[in-house]
Amino acid sequence: MYTSRRKIHKDKDVEPSEFEEMVAQTFFDLENTNHELKSELKDLFINSAVEMDIAGNRKAVVIFVPYRLRKAFRKIHLRLVRELEKKFSGKDVVLVASRRIVRPPKKGSAVQRPRTRTLTTVHDAMLEDVVYPAEIVGKRVRYRLDGSKIMKVIFLDPKERNNTENKLETFGGVYRKLTGKDVVFEYPIAEA
């Protein structure tokens, strides 16, 4: 029988939470009712979903998708997020690929860790996932006197300003909850 349970695959067959079941049911309903997304959503599923409180009274729904399905989700990203935001009224929806961070190898070990599994690379890739469909066109890192770092300004592509301008606070809050790093988003100032 084809149900919403086929739209969520958790690691090690863990039971999905009530919120994840609701998100999976929404995906299932979208596939059955929305004809333009039906063929693309047929083979797609999610790993998990989390509802996060962002600064103020805003909420965000973060949906984790399998890394190997990331490209398929990106093809329909704009339409899918628009439909999901209609279903979850008043909440911003962010799609993030599930990535794994591997510990550095022990001294003397012949095993090499792939570059894509390092903490820095995974956090940079998460940042790109969070702000998608906008592209990051510049970064600045500010070092404080006490040694702490803050990604001061991340410049987003001005072409996507209409789609992403009202979500900048959400992007920063979601990235902070996922990685623990503070980040500030802006658009570059166009020179005349």
Side-chain angles (χ1 to χ4, degrees):
M1 190 171 137
Y2 189 65
T3 64
S4 64
R5 288 300 289 255
R6 292 202 38 207
K7 286 293 173 191
I8 185 163
H9 295 270
K10 305 253 320 163
D11 289 341
K12 299 174 185 157
D13 294 326
V14 177
E15 284 294 313
S17 69
E18 190 176 316
F19 182 72
E20 291 170 338
E21 289 269 356
M22 186 178 76
V23 173
Q25 182 64 43
T26 305
F27 265 84
F28 182 71
D29 294 342
L30 271 177
E31 183 182 334
N32 290 331
T33 58
N34 194 324
H35 297 296
E36 67 180 39
L37 289 174
K38 183 173 185 153
S39 60
E40 285 100 345
L41 279 176
K42 185 176 71 164
D43 298 325
L44 300 181
F45 57 88
I46 64 172
N47 282 349
S48 64
V50 180
E51 187 175 23
M52 294 184 180
D53 292 324
I54 308 300
N57 56 357
R58 296 182 74 157
K59 288 187 182 275
V61 177
V62 181
I63 300 172
F64 292 93
V65 300
Y67 180 78
R68 66 178 193 271
L69 297 178
R70 176 179 57 102
K71 286 185 180 174
F73 272 103
R74 284 198 169 181
K75 285 180 185 174
I76 60 169
H77 187 276
L78 278 175
R79 291 179 289 164
L80 180 63
V81 166
R82 190 178 323 117
E83 292 297 324
L84 288 172
E85 284 178 349
K86 284 181 197 172
K87 298 276 187 183
F88 301 112
S89 59
K91 297 176 186 169
D92 293 326
V93 176
V94 178
L95 298 175
V96 178
S98 296
R99 291 180 171 84
R100 181 160 290 143
I101 299 171
V102 177
R103 291 183 308 152
K106 299 228 185 307
K107 296 288 186 218
S109 173
V111 179
Q112 276 278 311
R113 167 176 66 161
R115 179 69 91 195
T116 58
R117 303 288 196 283
T118 63
L119 179 106
T120 306
T121 306
V122 169
H123 284 187
D124 287 345
M126 273 186 178
L127 183 63
E128 289 180 20
D129 284 349
V130 167
V131 301
Y132 193 81
E135 289 184 17
I136 298 170
V137 294
K139 290 183 190 176
R140 290 189 187 155
V141 179
R142 181 174 170 211
Y143 296 92
R144 294 190 177 141
L145 289 174
D146 63 354
S148 63
K149 290 195 286 189
I150 181 171
M151 283 213 201
K152 181 62 179 151
V153 178
I154 300 213
F155 293 116
L156 298 178
D157 192 4
K159 287 185 274 186
E160 290 293 331
R161 191 174 195 143
N162 297 345
N163 295 335
T164 58
E165 191 165 27
N166 58 347
K167 294 184 179 183
L168 293 182
E169 192 176 299
T170 301
F171 292 161
V174 167
Y175 188 71
R176 186 179 308 110
K177 293 259 172 133
L178 291 176
T179 63
K181 295 179 180 176
D182 288 325
V183 73
V184 178
F185 295 101
E186 286 182 12
Y187 294 97
I189 300 165
E191 295 184 20

